[in-house]
Amino acid sequence: MKTTLEPLDDNKVKLTVELDDAEFDASIDLAFKKIAHEVKMPGFRAGKAPRKLLEARIGIAAARQQAIQDSVPLYLSKAVREHDIDLIATPDVKLVSGEDDGPVSFDATCEVRPVITVPGYQGLRIELAPIDASDDEIEEVVNAERRRHGNLVDVERPSQAGDFVTLDLQGLREGEPVPGLNTDDWVYEIGRGWVAPTFDDEVTGAVKGAQLKFSATPNGTEQPADFEVTVQRVQVLELADLTDAWVAEHVAEHDTIDAWRDAVAARISEMKLNQARNVLIDKVSESLAALVDIDAPESMVNSDLQARVQNTVQQFQAQGIALDQWLSATGQDTNQFVDSLKEQSQKAVKVDLALRAIVVAEGLAASDADIELEYQRIAMRVNQKPAQVRKVYEKNDAVADLASQIAKSKALDWLLHNVTMVDSNGKELDREHILGHDHDHSHDHAHDGEDGHSHGAE
């Protein structure tokens, strides 16, 4: 087999493959063996008739066509590996010669993954929400606990925002009760906005014993209702003074105000830190994708999109949710649903290209040891031996893909340890604190599907 490679425009190359007669004759032999199972020859079991008898009976043309059909994909795959062509779409193959006789040759126009550079990745900067608890956040928690232990006290004055009113409530439409809007002795805090957009305004300024009638459109509905409200009580929530003694009595595990506030601050900060960690990969990916100044190749986008749609549908099915019902509930049609996923695919493709560029720039290619370690990790997940996993990857010609995924994960890890992190106030954050001491971004990140593919034993 002879092969030549010619670069073309638009991230394409032309691969020309020429087969010598001996190679192709072996393919014709295999084709005759396949045909032998379909042609009955007296005196021979199915598949056992020799080539010469078959050739004498049906000629060589049918076997030649079968050989071309079966062998061209195999020779193409071999040529792609020989030239290390990074395909991103199915090649367009055209037979050049040998359809009827003579040497067989074909051209394959191959779309390849663009190789780019990413200026600015070394100075990447991402913004996260502040991870320190603010005074207001601490006060909100403290006051919520104080309110939980507060006492309602009657007041003889018109109601105002923040007061608690005890109401007899009736909501009617055409004289019929509206479900959920009829209750007695309901304690309601003015300002919550729970009933209707104008409800709180109507009950503000009312005194004990007041009887109110008005129309309003209940929340979540489109038709107005007639309200009849009797104000039974107007009360305020009185809070005890915040003292060490109060904390010791009402707050478990704390004896002083300062100790309680410190614990609240630590809890809020831990929660915000975890939130920052949860969005970290997405933030880095978004910032990295923004540095890519070429359009994502449509073939890569479509490949990723197809996988995303399938995964999303499978997730819905696993949860017992019909896609059409979900679309109806969210007010989307199928095109809008696919378009929303396509934006994610476009970003994922740009991230894929950028990470590969960083692999080259930083020398982060996967080593043999990295690949062997990944075989061991996969083997543990699928309960097989590493040698079995390796065999599957080699059989599926997926080792190069696995190496690329590992290398991209190394690039992502490099970024995480070199990116500048700031909060929304411009304060630089401690990167190692965000990552955590047990930070270990294995290449599982890359397997999440920047290009929408998975291979081998997985």
Side-chain angles (χ1 to χ4, degrees):
M1 183 179 76
K2 296 179 181 180
T3 64
T4 58
L5 192 66
E6 176 187 348
L8 304 175
D9 295 332
D10 299 325
N11 296 310
K12 293 181 180 179
V13 296
K14 185 173 78 171
L15 183 61
T16 299
V17 179
E18 299 178 8
L19 309 180
D20 61 39
D21 291 339
E23 276 183 307
F24 191 64
D25 194 58
S27 296
I28 293 178
D29 270 340
L30 292 175
F32 271 117
K33 289 180 181 179
K34 179 181 288 189
I35 293 172
H37 287 277
E38 303 170 359
V39 177
K40 292 182 179 180
M41 295 288 288
F44 295 94
R45 296 196 309 272
K48 297 299 182 180
R51 170 177 170 172
K52 287 185 178 180
L53 287 178
L54 289 169
E55 190 171 339
R57 179 172 177 179
I58 64 174
I60 198 172
R64 189 176 187 87
Q65 289 300 317
Q66 186 68 55
I68 290 173
Q69 179 181 327
D70 293 344
S71 65
V72 165
L74 299 177
Y75 289 120
L76 173 60
S77 179
K78 183 177 179 181
V80 166
R81 290 195 301 272
E82 176 186 333
H83 290 276
D84 195 22
I85 299 173
D86 192 1
L87 291 176
I88 60 173
T90 302
D92 180 17
V93 178
K94 293 182 179 179
L95 192 65
V96 175
S97 64
E99 181 174 7
D100 298 320
D101 54 42
V104 173
S105 66
F106 62 89
D107 290 338
T109 301
C110 307
E111 186 176 4
V112 298
R113 193 186 314 269
V115 177
I116 66 171
T117 58
V118 188
Y121 76 87
Q122 292 177 320
L124 202 62
R125 178 186 177 99
I126 64 168
E127 182 181 298
L128 301 170
I131 62 172
D132 294 329
S134 68
D135 291 340
D136 288 344
E137 290 169 332
I138 296 170
E139 283 304 311
E140 183 178 353
V141 174
V142 169
N143 288 333
E145 185 66 16
R146 292 176 66 201
R147 287 170 62 85
R148 197 168 70 86
H149 293 281
N151 295 312
L152 289 175
V153 178
D154 290 342
V155 292
E156 300 296 331
R157 61 163 173 76
S159 63
Q160 58 191 35
D163 285 350
F164 288 80
V165 288
T166 301
L167 307 174
D168 292 343
L169 173 66
Q170 187 175 33
L172 305 171
R173 284 199 185 104
E174 298 180 353
E176 295 296 325
V178 178
L181 291 180
N182 291 269
T183 183
D184 292 333
D185 298 324
W186 180 45
V187 179
Y188 176 66
E189 182 182 2
I190 299 177
R192 291 289 185 177
W194 286 352
V195 183
T198 60
F199 183 86
D200 291 42
D201 293 335
E202 296 287 352
V203 297
T204 298
V207 296
K208 178 181 177 180
Q211 294 183 337
L212 311 174
K213 292 185 178 182
F214 54 89
S215 294
T217 302
N219 294 338
T221 70
E222 297 180 355
Q223 295 181 335
D226 297 321
F227 285 88
E228 296 180 4
V229 178
T230 301
V231 180
Q232 300 287 6
R233 307 172 76 175
V234 178
Q235 297 176 300
V236 295
L237 183 66
E238 285 191 349
L239 306 181
D241 292 337
L242 183 59
T243 64
D244 288 346
W246 186 91
V247 171
E249 180 180 355
H250 295 91
V251 183
E253 300 180 359
H254 302 294
D255 296 327
T256 67
I257 298 172
D258 289 344
W260 183 30
R261 287 183 184 276
D262 288 346
V264 169
R267 187 169 69 249
I268 293 173
S269 295
E270 182 67 20
M271 177 186 67
K272 297 176 77 172
L273 175 61
N274 288 333
Q275 290 172 343
R277 287 171 175 168
N278 288 338
V279 302
L280 180 59
I281 300 296
D282 281 343
K283 290 284 188 178
V284 171
S285 297
E286 288 173 6
S287 297
L288 184 62
L291 298 178
V292 177
D293 58 4
I294 68 167
D295 292 334
E298 197 65 21
S299 56
M300 293 181 68
V301 172
N302 289 337
S303 177
D304 184 275
L305 178 60
Q306 182 179 10
R308 285 181 189 275
V309 171
Q310 291 175 347
N311 289 340
T312 303
V313 171
Q314 288 172 359
Q315 289 173 6
F316 284 150
Q317 291 174 341
Q319 297 172 20
I321 301 173
L323 178 60
D324 56 349
Q325 293 177 341
W326 182 84
L327 291 175
S328 177
T330 56
Q332 299 182 76
D333 59 26
T334 303
N335 290 334
Q336 290 171 321
F337 166 67
V338 172
D339 285 344
S340 68
L341 293 180
K342 187 171 184 177
E343 292 179 7
Q344 299 176 36
S345 292
Q346 289 169 334
K347 186 192 84 169
V349 169
K350 288 190 174 186
V351 171
D352 170 82
L353 298 177
L355 288 175
R356 290 170 187 268
I358 295 172
V359 167
V360 174
E362 299 294 333
L364 300 174
S367 65
D368 291 342
D370 293 328
I371 296 174
E372 288 299 323
L373 179 60
E374 181 61 9
Y375 287 149
Q376 295 173 22
R377 288 173 171 169
I378 296 172
M380 291 180 64
R381 291 202 297 270
V382 300
N383 196 27
Q384 292 182 354
K385 294 181 179 180
Q388 293 174 303
V389 174
R390 182 190 307 108
K391 184 176 181 180
V392 172
Y393 271 87
E394 291 173 348
K395 180 180 178 181
N396 291 343
D397 197 23
V399 177
D401 286 339
L402 180 62
S404 294
Q405 300 289 3
I406 295 172
K408 287 194 296 179
S409 214
K410 285 186 172 185
L412 177 59
D413 202 52
W414 185 95
L415 281 173
L416 292 173
H417 283 89
N418 287 274
V419 67
T420 299
M421 303 179 189
V422 299
D423 65 20
S424 54
N425 299 316
K427 175 185 175 183
E428 186 166 344
L429 302 175
D430 184 339
R431 181 171 54 239
E432 295 306 315
H433 178 57
I434 298 292
L435 295 176
H437 295 299
D438 59 348
H439 169 67
D440 177 22
H441 286 277
S442 71
H443 44 268
D444 284 340
H445 291 305
H447 285 312
D448 287 343
E450 280 93 9
D451 56 5
H453 297 290
S454 60
H455 302 277
E458 296 183 289

